[in-house]
Amino acid sequence: MTWTSVAFVVICAIVGTSADVDINDVAKIAGASNNFAKDLYEQMTRKNEGQNVLFAPFGLSMAMAMVYNGATDRTERQIQRSMFFDRAADDKEELNERYKEAASLLKDPTNQYRISFANKLFGSKDYDYNREFQRVVSHAYGAPLEKIDWNDDVEDTVMHINDWVAERTNMRVMDMLKEKDIKSNISLALISAFYFNSVWEDSFPKNNTKDRSFLKAGGETIEVKTMYTEGN
């Protein structure tokens, strides 16, 4: 068996229904996310040939939807085209409501999995940010604004943000930011992460996990612990 590239792609899927949610509207968000996933996957595999690729397009598209709300002119048009937002909704207001509906479906407590989103704006205490933008991202994406002093101790700032993310991702995302990520001219950081936990619909028997041959991209064969099961 030869595996030279493996991609784990989390694509928005419609997993439930609600009396307050139009499933057709949410499906348009899923479609836009899937189109973006395809484009991004092609870019990432070209730049990381022979390497494993892991990314979550729905989380990325949700973050870009928040950025899109604050964009105008050329930047607005570029985001709209690259994220396929023009296929998901007629305008920003409609797009925001559909993302909100999609998130509510994914977080439905009756689902057989747990997912939580961690969205927040960390802005400079020296800036006044557009109030309508703040209202929209808080209402539709659960992303409130917290003002901090970016000129304060960088280590403390990074720790503060990382602690916030860790608390909302069941302590799985521990070091989202590094000190090198904080530039001297930063005025606003949009933080978006999510936590997902589920069980296999058909679990792998533990006693079937054995050392098996794995052929690496360079031609070397190594022994790795491999799960195994059989099905109809």
Side-chain angles (χ1 to χ4, degrees), residues 17-30:
T17 59
S18 169
D20 298 325
V21 174
D22 188 326
I23 206 70
N24 294 319
D25 288 346
V26 178
K28 293 178 181 179
I29 292 294

Side-chain angles (χ1 to χ4, degrees), residues 93-108:
E93 181 178 1
E94 189 173 67
L95 183 75
N96 296 332
E97 285 304 312
R98 288 178 179 176
Y99 264 105
K100 184 179 179 182
E101 291 176 344
S104 70
L105 283 181
L106 291 172
K107 294 188 293 184
D108 190 321

Side-chain angles (χ1 to χ4, degrees), residues 212-227:
R212 299 178 188 272
S213 297
F214 182 89
L215 182 61
K216 298 176 66 176
E220 177 187 4
T221 299
I222 60 174
E223 295 293 308
V224 297
K225 296 291 184 184
T226 306
M227 296 184 295

Side-chain angles (χ1 to χ4, degrees), residues 82-206:
S82 63
M83 302 305 300
F84 299 93
F85 289 156
D86 53 338
R87 302 184 188 180
D90 292 332
D91 52 40
K92 289 181 179 179
E93 181 178 1
E94 189 173 67
L95 183 75
N96 296 332
E97 285 304 312
R98 288 178 179 176
Y99 264 105
K100 184 179 179 182
E101 291 176 344
S104 70
L105 283 181
L106 291 172
K107 294 188 293 184
D108 190 321
T110 63
N111 295 333
Q112 300 301 308
Y113 60 83
R114 178 187 172 194
I115 187 168
S116 59
F117 299 95
N119 295 324
K120 192 170 185 178
L121 305 176
F122 291 89
S124 171
K125 65 180 183 61
D126 298 322
Y127 281 79
D128 288 325
Y129 298 93
N130 184 282
R131 292 186 180 277
E132 177 60 16
F133 172 72
Q134 292 183 56
R135 185 195 67 79
V136 167
V137 296
S138 179
H139 170 74
Y141 303 94
L145 171 69
E146 177 184 341
K147 289 192 173 184
I148 60 178
D149 187 354
W150 288 109
N151 297 317
D152 201 358
D153 187 282
V154 174
E155 182 179 359
D156 288 345
T157 299
V158 169
M159 184 181 299
H160 172 68
I161 296 175
N162 284 341
D163 286 347
W164 181 85
V165 173
E167 289 175 1
R168 283 153 183 80
T169 57
N170 202 35
M171 307 306 289
R172 292 295 183 179
V173 182
M174 300 296 296
D175 297 303
M176 186 170 187
L177 285 183
K178 306 293 185 183
E179 290 184 37
K180 65 180 180 180
D181 297 325
I182 308 301
K183 309 301 182 183
S184 60
N185 61 344
I186 189 171
S187 61
L188 179 69
L190 189 158
I191 302 298
S192 182
F194 73 86
Y195 167 79
F196 175 82
N197 185 30
S198 186
V199 296
W200 296 100
E201 183 174 357
D202 296 307
S203 61
F204 290 84
K206 187 175 182 180

